[in-house]
Amino acid sequence: MSVRTLHLSLFALCAVLLAGGCQRRPLDFKIQARSDLAFSLWVSAHTGSLGAEDTRELNETLKQIKFAVMIASPGLPAKEFSDQVYGQINGFTVRQVLARSLEIQSDRIAGEINALEERDERYRTIDPTSLSLTKRQFVESFNGRMADRRTELQRLGDRKTLLLAR
């Protein structure tokens, strides 16, 4: 192999490595969508880069944002509703939008936990052996649901940490 061929090979290898290293990561892509159709088209065009899991989460994110807007502003006309939903999506990176969804879900679960905290404290002080079978089953079921909500809240926090670190 000649020196010139070796230099050309090294140059080509460096160019490939540089080009690969300079590409944006899929989570840093900015979403361009101002409607459901535009969002679907954008996601479809980027599915290959994002991968199945991120694509699924992105579609779930749209549902979470819509739900949050419905709760915050019930009865909005369709145009205003769409403007508020896509105001939280359009121009933001995939990472930012996915993180927003995790925040929405975390806030909702934290609110549920806080609303039931007093009851949870009261149930923890009750001696289960003093309850009838039906009441004991209810308290155990309630405690199980609260534990599940706390676990879900922790999972969402862990997921957000991983998302932001990727």
Side-chain angles (χ1 to χ4, degrees):
M1 182 181 283
S2 73
V3 171
R4 180 184 165 132
T5 305
L6 181 63
H7 283 156
L8 286 175
S9 297
L10 284 172
F11 178 75
L13 179 62
C14 288
V16 168
L17 290 174
L18 279 174
C22 293
Q23 292 178 345
R24 289 188 330 185
R25 295 181 304 187
L27 292 178
D28 295 329
F29 292 161
K30 287 198 177 200
I31 299 172
Q32 299 301 317
R34 295 185 188 275
S35 68
D36 288 345
L37 177 60
F39 181 78
S40 293
L41 291 172
W42 189 92
V43 170
S44 293
H46 293 83
T47 297
S49 299
L50 290 171
E53 182 66 19
D54 287 333
T55 299
R56 185 196 60 72
E57 282 192 39
L58 202 50
N59 285 311
E60 178 61 28
T61 293
L62 178 60
K63 293 176 191 173
Q64 293 296 328
I65 291 173
K66 284 182 175 184
F67 183 67
V69 170
M70 279 190 269
I71 298 286
S73 304
L76 278 178
K79 173 74 171 112
E80 290 177 37
F81 176 77
S82 183
D83 289 348
Q84 283 195 22
V85 168
Y86 287 99
Q88 297 181 50
I89 295 173
N90 188 52
F92 291 95
T93 65
V94 171
R95 182 185 321 277
Q96 290 170 316
V97 172
L98 292 176
R100 177 69 183 123
S101 173
L102 294 169
E103 289 169 8
I104 290 168
Q105 293 174 67
S106 294
D107 289 349
R108 187 179 68 246
I109 291 172
E112 291 172 11
I113 290 171
N114 288 338
L116 296 171
E117 198 68 44
E118 184 180 314
R119 185 185 302 181
D120 187 40
E121 289 292 326
R122 191 172 58 238
Y123 287 169
R124 279 192 235 158
T125 63
I126 296 173
D127 177 16
T129 59
S130 68
L131 299 174
S132 68
L133 178 61
T134 305
K135 288 180 182 177
R136 190 173 335 131
Q137 287 173 335
F138 174 81
V139 170
E140 288 171 359
S141 174
F142 176 84
N143 290 338
R145 287 192 308 272
M146 287 295 285
D148 290 347
R149 299 314 280 162
R150 287 185 176 102
T151 299
E152 179 66 6
L153 187 60
Q154 181 63 46
R155 186 194 70 76
L156 290 169
D158 293 346
R159 174 69 181 116
K160 184 176 178 187
T161 300
L162 287 173
L163 174 71
L164 296 175
R166 282 183 27 201

